Amino acid sequence: GGARVLNRLKSSALLTELLMHDTVDPSHSRLAQMAAQPVLAHFKHVLLLSSPQDGFIPHHSSRIAHDEHVAADAKLRSVLATMINQLNDSLERVHTVRLEIVWPDARDQPMTLSHAIGHASHLQFLENTLFYRLFLQTMGRRYLV
């Protein structure tokens, strides 16, 4: 995905941790340790937004969902499955909404590195305040009350 490409171009501790490359054994990675903590259970409502167009954060990851094609390495696949189960267990008593967003076709946009690695679609979530306002006005009461 896009995070791997970006990490190769500009190595950073954050991306190394997100890719679970901070330890030799992924089950000891910082991300695996965090997933083992039931912090999501402290919330009343959790909204998981995902987009199949987001090449930076995998679609299944944003949804906290299993994907059998996620890793060729059996050990890493096992660790990821454990993490997903732990996160979903902590959401057991939490009102959780998973929404999939499909942004308008961006084929008319100039191809940049950000578009190529899927970062542009990822930024749509972070920078689109109009989307959040409209969502909260139209759907917020239905999903978050």
Side-chain angles (χ1 to χ4, degrees), residues 20 60 66 70-71 75-85:
M20 299 173 67
H60 65 276
H66 292 278
V70 72
K75 169 79 173 165
L76 181 57
R77 232 185 357 263
S78 173
V79 171
L80 292 172
T82 298
M83 290 170 57
I84 290 165
N85 291 337

Side-chain angles (χ1 to χ4, degrees), residues 57-76:
I57 303 297
H59 187 237
H60 65 276
S61 182
S62 300
R63 299 178 66 77
I64 311 177
H66 292 278
D67 180 2
E68 69 261 7
H69 304 295
V70 72
D73 177 26
K75 169 79 173 165
L76 181 57

Side-chain angles (χ1 to χ4, degrees), residues 1-134:
R4 288 186 197 279
V5 172
L6 196 57
N7 196 40
R8 288 183 194 261
L9 294 175
K10 183 180 180 182
S11 184
S12 76
L14 173 63
L15 289 175
T16 300
E17 288 178 356
L18 288 174
L19 294 169
M20 299 173 67
H21 293 162
D22 54 325
T23 62
V24 175
D25 182 351
S27 66
H28 293 63
S29 68
R30 180 72 185 126
L31 205 55
Q33 292 172 4
M34 290 171 56
Q37 302 300 315
V39 295
L40 294 176
H42 298 287
F43 291 90
K44 288 183 182 179
H45 306 280
V46 171
L47 174 63
L48 300 172
L49 295 174
S50 63
S51 173
Q53 296 162 303
D54 188 343
F56 198 67
I57 303 297
H59 187 237
H60 65 276
S61 182
S62 300
R63 299 178 66 77
I64 311 177
H66 292 278
D67 180 2
E68 69 261 7
H69 304 295
V70 72
D73 177 26
K75 169 79 173 165
L76 181 57
R77 232 185 357 263
S78 173
V79 171
L80 292 172
T82 298
M83 290 170 57
I84 290 165
N85 291 337
Q86 290 169 329
L87 290 167
N88 282 323
D89 287 349
S90 70
L91 289 172
E92 195 171 286
R93 294 192 172 135
V94 177
H95 181 244
T96 305
V97 176
R98 289 173 169 86
L99 291 178
E100 184 172 297
I101 308 297
V102 179
W103 301 107
D105 194 355
R107 282 184 255 185
D108 299 336
Q109 302 296 322
M111 183 53 76
T112 64
L113 177 61
S114 184
H115 282 88
I117 64 174
H119 193 244
S121 180
H122 181 74
L123 290 177
Q124 286 278 14
F125 282 121
L126 301 176
E127 296 176 349
N128 197 331
T129 56
L130 177 61
F131 167 77
Y132 291 114
R133 276 189 271 151
L134 287 172

